[in-house]
Amino acid sequence: MTAEHSSDNEIYRQHLPEKKRIVVKVGSSSLLHSQTQRLDYHRIDRLAGELSDLKNAGKDVILVSSGAAAAGREALGLSSDVYRAEIGMNIKQACAAVGQARLIQIYQKFFSEYNQTCAQVLMTKNTVANPSSRENLQNTMEELLRLGVIPIVNENDSVAVNEFIVGDNDNLSAMVASVTHADLLILLSDVEGLFTDDPRKNPHASFIECVPHLDDTFLRMGKKSTGSFAGTGGMDTKLHAARIATASGCDMVICTTARGMGIIRDVATGKNVGTLFVACPDANFRLDDYIRQL
Ligand code: GLU
């Protein structure tokens, strides 16, 4: 797959610098120190710096950030072990409420150092499933971007109820990309991208640079678990996100922040990093129907 599509990959990547509206999703694992599961301020600062640069380069930038539950856990002094043992809905939602406020405070601080204004937008699955709230979301986002603001989106974890939870920010960010008609979605993760099989279990798994058309062969490569404690999205959710994004006409790249937040610039300037899923607009794709079955 890599060799066969390598020239296509180069051609598709050449178009990435032209993208105007970019959604960047950052997972909890990219915001935390892996040893302690505590917030990594240096990384959050670098993330704000990279996004501010994209903004200054004339892009519309939307950040979808996880990390509320982790920040809340840290603020409340709950160790990851205790948190894991007490993983009831109430404590999770309480942590998210505390942590979301803290997370936004930290983003505000760093973004203001780069002379940017950011905003908090919290949503649930219902926000997208319901036509009038979806339109409200779309209008608000459009207005924020027109005003030059960087919206920071998360699921409204502290009030979301089971049947309406998206649960992972991979799908949430793809919904945001779809609703805002973004043309590039970057999923920052602790994985390099898509492999033919789980590389932690199968040493022969090979890396896929480009998915020109997301069909069942690729969808079957999704794995249910990341193996990481911090986040909830595995490759499976990333492939669902790819389906939403590409069918909505948005390119998507999965890449890792293991070597730093500079990867955002690498993707946006067309470097061959991560896995690129090429937009394939599908007139029959209905976002509200698709998310109901997630
Ligand atoms: N919304 C969750 C949080 O902020 C994260 C969901 C995810 O890990 O994708 O903690």
Side-chain angles (χ1 to χ4, degrees):
M1 240 157 293
T2 37
E4 189 185 334
H5 293 302
S6 61
S7 57
D8 288 355
N9 180 38
E10 274 167 34
I11 293 164
Y12 291 128
R13 300 261 180 182
Q14 280 166 16
H15 292 290
L16 294 186
E18 297 157 13
K19 305 295 175 185
K20 172 80 177 97
R21 183 164 291 183
I22 304 179
V23 177
V24 176
K25 178 258 168 177
V26 65
S28 305
S29 60
S30 300
L31 300 175
L32 303 175
H33 288 283
S34 57
Q35 302 296 321
T36 61
Q37 298 294 317
R38 295 176 71 89
L39 288 172
D40 185 332
Y41 291 101
H42 176 75
R43 280 173 156 230
I44 301 173
D45 183 10
R46 287 318 315 141
L47 173 64
E50 290 294 335
L51 297 182
S52 300
D53 269 348
L54 271 187
K55 182 83 192 33
N56 284 351
K59 315 284 186 188
D60 290 339
V61 178
I62 300 167
L63 173 63
V64 176
S65 178
S66 303
R73 180 176 47 72
E74 181 181 314
L76 293 168
L78 297 173
S79 77
S80 31
D81 292 343
V82 172
Y83 181 80
R84 207 194 300 254
E86 291 183 12
I87 196 87
M89 198 64 176
N90 294 350
I91 184 115
K92 256 187 120 172
Q93 294 194 300
C95 282
V98 172
Q100 181 64 29
R102 184 162 282 216
L103 201 59
I104 288 295
Q105 183 191 23
I106 296 165
Y107 277 125
Q108 294 262 21
K109 175 182 168 349
F110 286 125
F111 275 117
S112 69
E113 279 177 15
Y114 296 105
N115 214 12
Q116 302 294 333
T117 304
C118 58
Q120 170 182 262
V121 177
L122 297 179
M123 55 182 281
T124 63
K125 196 188 251 191
N126 258 352
T127 316
V128 176
N130 178 302
S132 54
S133 57
R134 185 169 65 233
E135 195 183 331
N136 264 350
L137 172 68
Q138 190 171 7
N139 292 341
T140 305
M141 294 295 267
E142 207 56 56
E143 197 60 23
L144 286 169
L145 295 170
R146 193 186 65 77
L147 291 166
V149 173
I150 299 179
I152 305 175
V153 185
N154 198 359
E155 184 153 24
N156 199 350
D157 294 319
S158 49
V159 297
V161 285
N162 259 336
E163 42 297 22
F164 299 116
I165 286 178
V166 182
D168 70 89
N169 280 2
D170 296 325
N171 278 304
L172 194 84
S173 62
M175 291 177 200
V176 169
S178 175
V179 169
T180 59
H181 304 294
D183 39 22
L184 177 60
L185 167 62
I186 303 176
L187 295 189
L188 300 176
S189 175
D190 52 2
V191 293
E192 297 279 342
L194 182 65
F195 287 80
T196 50
D197 195 5
D198 187 338
R200 290 166 304 185
K201 294 184 184 144
N202 179 356
H204 303 295
S206 54
F207 186 70
I208 297 168
E209 294 176 341
C210 179
V211 178
H213 182 75
L214 186 61
D215 57 21
D216 285 348
T217 320
F218 290 106
L219 288 170
R220 273 195 297 272
M221 291 171 191
K223 297 288 163 190
K224 286 276 177 201
S225 159
T226 46
S228 90
F229 165 63
T232 48
M235 194 48 75
D236 194 44
T237 63
K238 289 177 176 54
L239 290 174
H240 278 298
R243 170 80 184 121
I244 294 172
T246 57
S248 307
C250 178
D251 281 353
M252 185 183 112
V253 175
I254 303 174
C255 55
T256 177
T257 53
R259 287 172 297 282
M261 294 292 176
I263 193 88
I264 299 171
R265 178 184 300 239
D266 291 345
V267 172
T269 54
K271 287 209 180 114
N272 189 21
V273 288
T275 301
L276 166 65
F277 296 80
V278 182
C280 292
D282 177 354
N284 296 319
F285 180 77
R286 293 282 316 245
L287 179 62
D288 40 358
D289 288 344
Y290 193 82
I291 64 171
R292 268 189 205 103
Q293 42 103 35
L294 282 177

